[in-house]
Amino acid sequence: MANVAVIGAQWGDEGKGKIVDWLAERADMVVRFQGGHNAGHTLVVGDTTYKLSLLPSGIVRGTPSVIGNGVVLDPWALKAEIGRLREQGVDVTPDTLMIAENCALILPFHRDLDGLREDASGQGKIGTTRRGIGPAYEDKVGRRAIRVCDLAHLDDLGPQLDRLTAHHDALRAGFGESPIDRDALIAELREIAGFVLPFAQPVWRNLNEARSRGRRILFEGAQGVLLDIDHGTYPFVTSSNTIAGTAAGGSGLGPSAVGFVLGIAKAYTTRVGSGPFPTELNDDTGQRLGERGHEFGTVTGRKRRCGWFDSVLVRQSVAVSGVTGIALTKLDVLDGFDAVKICTGYRLNGQDYDYFPAHAADQAGVEPVYEEIEGWSESTAGARSWADLPAQAIKYIRRVEELIQCPVALVSTSPEREDTILVRDPFAD
């Protein structure tokens, strides 16, 4: 059986939640492999809407779900999210949720540092969610992180706390903050340990066993490729690698296990927070896209910036993430436009570019080169086959495929999971 990795091909918020939910019903396991609770997925199941930040989307349907070692885990956020789901009738147990015992933890002082640094950055703000994700990844790489497995050995944390406080107390002093209260931290960890530890497992082993038995594994990415720490619009990026290749290292499976890579892309472009956005529309058209697409962040509630589809950026995402097929979402938002535009290249200082340059100043300075396509007046909302789509909408999709050099595997025409046009089944053998 084929495995599938689902990633965002833009700046996140592409509608991964619905697609992952649709695939999760047919998967045997769902795995989150990077990020933290700064990501957000909205699932609409019948009349109920579920908003997830940390938990894999499979959890709603009872599909065994895994938080892999590539994730940074806020244990208090985990408890709160599980509590909200239980209020909606979803019971999360160690039978349905497994957490990698080598996951690094997000701790209260990580959240403090995140906010302190962002507030002090002036024009250098990067739009962090202030949830401690970046500082937690820094401690992981700096080899001073406290991990899930450490919750079972809190009496032996002395050396790790020495490393942590040597680093963080100096930073806190620079902001005029008091040192970390080690006793209070240990007390907080003792209180939460009993909740987290029942979910802790060597998930690398569980996943390898599942793979050897031919089980279907769905890898669920957070954010989008354009927020990748290496391949995104640096420094306006997240603190982890969001490309599909991370599914291997962030779960404990080898690269051959990743399988079909499904990239999710809106039929237009959005971005939350700061950073370059070549096709951004600060006009009535951008306002119209935002209103019709209900463009507000799942986690932060922040209004998303909107613009035309940027084929250059998506083509780059397809290349660096090895995307097999694209799921094109929110096509219905473009209904009723007399004409729609696609960015096919950039111009910078008189030079043409067919890729997004790496330097931040160049990224901010590029001007989009557009191709205009006739729009359609008919509705695409709820379409479930090519026959339901206007001819011009199909023409638009075909042109997108040509420009991004990747086939469209499915088209999503509403938040309802059944409103999907399937071109190629990602789980096909």
Side-chain angles (χ1 to χ4, degrees):
M1 295 291 183
N3 296 329
V4 178
V6 177
I7 59 160
Q10 295 160 314
W11 278 293
D13 305 309
E14 302 96 348
K16 290 189 295 295
K18 167 192 166 173
I19 304 300
V20 171
D21 175 54
W22 180 73
L23 291 168
E25 191 174 43
R26 301 164 58 220
D28 297 303
M29 301 183 82
V30 182
V31 186
R32 270 285 305 273
F33 57 84
Q34 52 79 215
H37 63 306
N38 55 338
H41 289 163
T42 300
L43 310 183
V44 180
V45 182
D47 297 328
T48 306
T49 298
Y50 302 94
K51 292 186 179 293
L52 306 179
S53 295
L54 182 60
L55 294 170
S57 297
I59 204 76
V60 170
R61 296 191 175 274
T63 305
S65 298
V66 171
I67 295 177
N69 58 275
V71 174
V72 284
L73 180 83
D74 183 323
W76 298 276
L78 174 73
K79 184 176 182 180
E81 189 169 328
I82 289 175
R84 289 193 297 272
L85 278 185
R86 285 177 175 163
E87 290 175 358
Q88 292 185 280
V90 179
D91 193 21
V92 180
T93 71
D95 291 327
T96 58
L97 177 66
M98 293 162 273
I99 300 175
E101 56 191 2
N102 50 341
C103 258
L105 297 179
I106 300 173
L107 301 172
F109 54 81
H110 291 134
R111 297 192 295 270
D112 295 343
L113 181 59
D114 207 353
L116 289 167
R117 289 199 299 209
E118 187 75 352
D119 289 339
S121 293
Q123 293 184 344
K125 284 184 172 64
I126 58 174
T128 171
T129 57
R130 299 169 180 261
R131 298 188 172 211
I133 281 82
Y137 272 117
E138 291 172 35
D139 279 350
K140 176 180 177 177
V141 175
R143 294 166 294 180
R144 52 183 174 264
I146 294 175
R147 303 186 298 170
V148 169
C149 56
D150 293 317
L151 294 175
H153 300 274
L154 292 176
D155 291 335
D156 303 319
L157 272 187
Q160 285 160 277
L161 288 175
D162 288 342
R163 289 194 295 275
L164 267 175
T165 54
H167 177 77
H168 282 274
D169 286 350
L171 292 174
R172 292 171 68 88
F175 287 108
E177 298 290 320
S178 58
I180 292 171
D181 186 333
R182 292 171 60 142
D183 291 338
L185 175 62
I186 290 294
E188 288 183 274
L189 291 173
R190 285 194 195 283
E191 185 178 358
I192 199 68
F195 180 85
V196 176
L197 285 173
F199 299 103
Q201 295 192 37
V203 301
W204 64 269
R205 185 184 65 181
N206 299 349
L207 289 169
N208 275 277
E209 288 178 354
R211 188 187 178 205
S212 69
R213 295 196 304 270
R215 300 292 187 259
R216 288 175 166 177
I217 301 172
L218 177 62
F219 300 95
E220 176 184 7
Q223 291 95 30
V225 173
L226 299 176
L227 292 175
D228 185 277
I229 188 68
D230 290 307
H231 299 287
T233 50
Y234 191 90
F236 302 98
V237 293
T238 195
S239 300
S240 59
N241 288 109
T242 61
I243 58 173
T246 310
S251 64
L253 284 168
S256 61
V258 174
F260 190 106
V261 178
L262 183 66
I264 316 297
K266 283 176 182 168
Y268 51 104
T269 310
T270 65
R271 178 167 198 170
V272 171
S274 305
F277 185 170
T279 66
E280 182 174 11
L281 298 170
N282 295 304
D283 58 14
D284 292 343
T285 300
Q287 182 78 10
R288 181 179 174 184
L289 289 171
E291 289 175 356
R292 296 197 63 185
H294 306 290
E295 296 298 350
F296 295 90
T298 300
V299 171
T300 64
R302 290 184 292 181
K303 184 178 179 180
R304 297 177 188 138
R305 302 152 64 191
C306 298
W308 294 119
F309 187 84
D310 191 329
S311 69
V312 183
L313 288 177
V314 176
R315 183 169 65 242
Q316 204 157 315
S317 294
V318 165
V320 300
S321 212
V323 173
T324 315
I326 286 286
L328 195 67
T329 66
K330 293 197 167 186
L331 179 67
D332 55 300
V333 174
L334 298 182
D335 292 352
F337 280 95
D338 293 332
V340 291
K341 295 181 179 180
I342 301 176
C343 173
T344 59
Y346 306 124
R347 192 162 291 124
L348 177 66
N349 299 324
Q351 182 177 346
D352 291 331
Y353 284 79
D354 63 356
Y355 66 95
F356 204 38
H359 195 274
D362 291 339
Q363 291 180 349
V366 298
E367 296 180 6
V369 176
Y370 286 116
E371 175 180 306
E372 187 169 289
I373 296 177
E374 182 184 345
W376 54 92
S377 58
E378 307 96 321
S379 173
T380 63
R384 299 183 182 182
S385 71
W386 288 115
D388 296 333
L389 293 179
Q392 281 303 125
I394 295 174
K395 183 178 179 181
Y396 179 80
I397 294 169
R398 295 306 185 203
R399 184 57 177 149
V400 165
E401 288 180 313
E402 292 174 0
L403 290 168
I404 66 174
Q405 299 173 8
C406 182
V408 169
L410 58 90
V411 181
S412 172
T413 57
S414 92
E416 297 295 331
R417 58 200 305 274
E418 291 81 9
D419 294 339
T420 304
I421 301 171
L422 180 64
V423 182
R424 179 179 176 186
D425 184 356
F427 271 131
D429 293 351

